[in-house]
Amino acid sequence: DGGITQSPKYLFRKEGQNVTLSCEQNLNHDAMYWYRQDPGQGLRLIYYSQIVNDFQKGDIAEGYSVSREKKESFPLTVTSAQKNPTAFYLCASSIRTVGADTQYFGPGTRLTVL
Amino acid sequence: GESVGLHLPTLSVQEGDNSIINCAYSNSASDYFIWYKQESGKGPQFIIDIRSNMDKRQGQRVTVLLNKTVKHLSLQIAATQPGDSAVYFCAERDRGGTSYGKLTFGQGTILTVHP
């Protein structure tokens, strides 16, 4: 898990609620990412940020929002517009996005919609 | 290798055997590859990486082989231990023309090591 922390580890949400997942890194990495992992599937990119105050949509951004106000933090909000939010959410960071820089992952947050 | 759907490929080995996990990729523009290990309920852990200008790279007990001709990547684990039991997946990066080198992840292979 290195220097990337995610909280909470488990999160339960009622339908119609927005919830925010926390991701913090102390690796001084410029780039941060949010992925969603469903059983038997590869990781799918939700949003990424190359630098503070900048972020871009990934492949499945609908129903999610992010902010990048600090280099260390990249919170993800799962909104009520996300139709199937139950999944394992993974945050990652890398030194930069250009070049062959490895992405390092946090421990994940498992979100369950009740 | 990787497959589509809910049923991941599986590999069962005895403790002490060598394991080989395969990954096929389709993007000839990919120039960087990573192997990750993911234990149940945890985040993926970096194992080893390789650039497209290499065909082999060795780490501690692990070796990655890259065959660009057939777009095939493999991870070899020597003297496999019960602690190696996990899902292993590969990721490839498309150098593309954008500033963001997007990683595409395979679905994974389940490795089970029997004592």
Side-chain angles (χ1 to χ4, degrees):
Chain A
D1 298 339
I4 304 175
T5 58
Q6 291 185 242
S7 62
K9 185 173 183 178
Y10 299 98
L11 185 58
F12 298 91
R13 191 195 90 172
K14 294 182 180 178
E15 287 192 15
Q17 285 184 332
N18 292 351
V19 291
T20 297
L21 283 58
S22 169
C23 178
E24 304 277 334
Q25 54 98 0
N26 62 2
L27 301 170
N28 200 33
H29 285 173
D30 287 318
M32 297 186 74
Y33 315 79
W34 274 105
Y35 292 91
R36 170 182 172 137
Q37 186 175 38
D38 294 284
Q41 297 188 34
L43 302 181
R44 292 184 290 168
L45 182 66
I46 304 173
Y47 267 98
Y48 65 98
S49 169
Q50 299 183 63
I51 198 168
V52 174
N53 292 322
D54 178 74
F55 50 84
Q56 305 294 328
K57 292 182 179 180
D59 299 322
I60 55 165
E62 185 176 353
Y64 300 98
S65 66
V66 293
S67 63
R68 186 83 186 278
E69 297 177 2
K70 298 187 299 181
K71 188 175 185 178
E72 302 80 19
S73 178
F74 191 40
L76 173 74
T77 297
V78 184
T79 74
S80 57
Q82 168 51 233
K83 297 179 181 178
N84 185 23
T86 295
F88 191 47
Y89 290 87
L90 289 160
C91 178
S93 70
S94 65
I95 295 174
R96 58 181 184 273
T97 56
V98 178
D101 291 308
T102 304
Q103 291 184 22
Y104 296 93
F105 287 86
T109 292
R110 186 166 298 281
L111 172 64
T112 303
V113 174
L114 303 174
Chain B
E2 311 289 341
S3 67
V4 177
L6 298 178
H7 302 288
L8 298 180
T10 59
L11 176 64
S12 293
V13 300
Q14 291 296 126
E15 182 178 1
D17 288 350
N18 295 335
S19 301
I20 300 176
I21 301 170
N22 298 303
C23 179
Y25 65 96
S26 58
N27 189 353
S28 58
S30 293
D31 66 344
Y32 176 59
F33 305 86
I34 309 171
W35 278 102
Y36 288 96
K37 171 187 179 183
Q38 187 175 24
E39 298 176 74
S40 181
K42 297 184 178 180
Q45 176 186 355
F46 169 82
I47 301 174
I48 192 168
D49 59 0
I50 189 168
R51 297 174 187 259
S52 59
N53 61 355
M54 303 170 68
D55 53 21
K56 180 180 179 179
R57 191 170 187 213
Q58 289 184 292
Q60 187 176 14
R61 277 203 310 121
V62 295
T63 301
V64 55
L65 298 177
L66 175 62
N67 185 331
K68 295 181 287 295
T69 302
V70 295
K71 299 191 190 70
H72 184 267
L73 190 69
S74 68
L75 176 70
Q76 300 178 2
I77 305 174
T80 316
Q81 303 166 1
D84 294 328
S85 295
V87 175
Y88 290 81
F89 56 89
C90 62
E92 59 181 296
R93 190 187 75 112
D94 180 356
R95 58 173 177 259
T98 65
S99 61
Y100 167 58
K102 177 181 175 181
L103 287 184
T104 300
F105 294 86
Q107 292 155 344
T109 296
I110 301 172
L111 174 65
T112 303
V113 182
H114 301 283

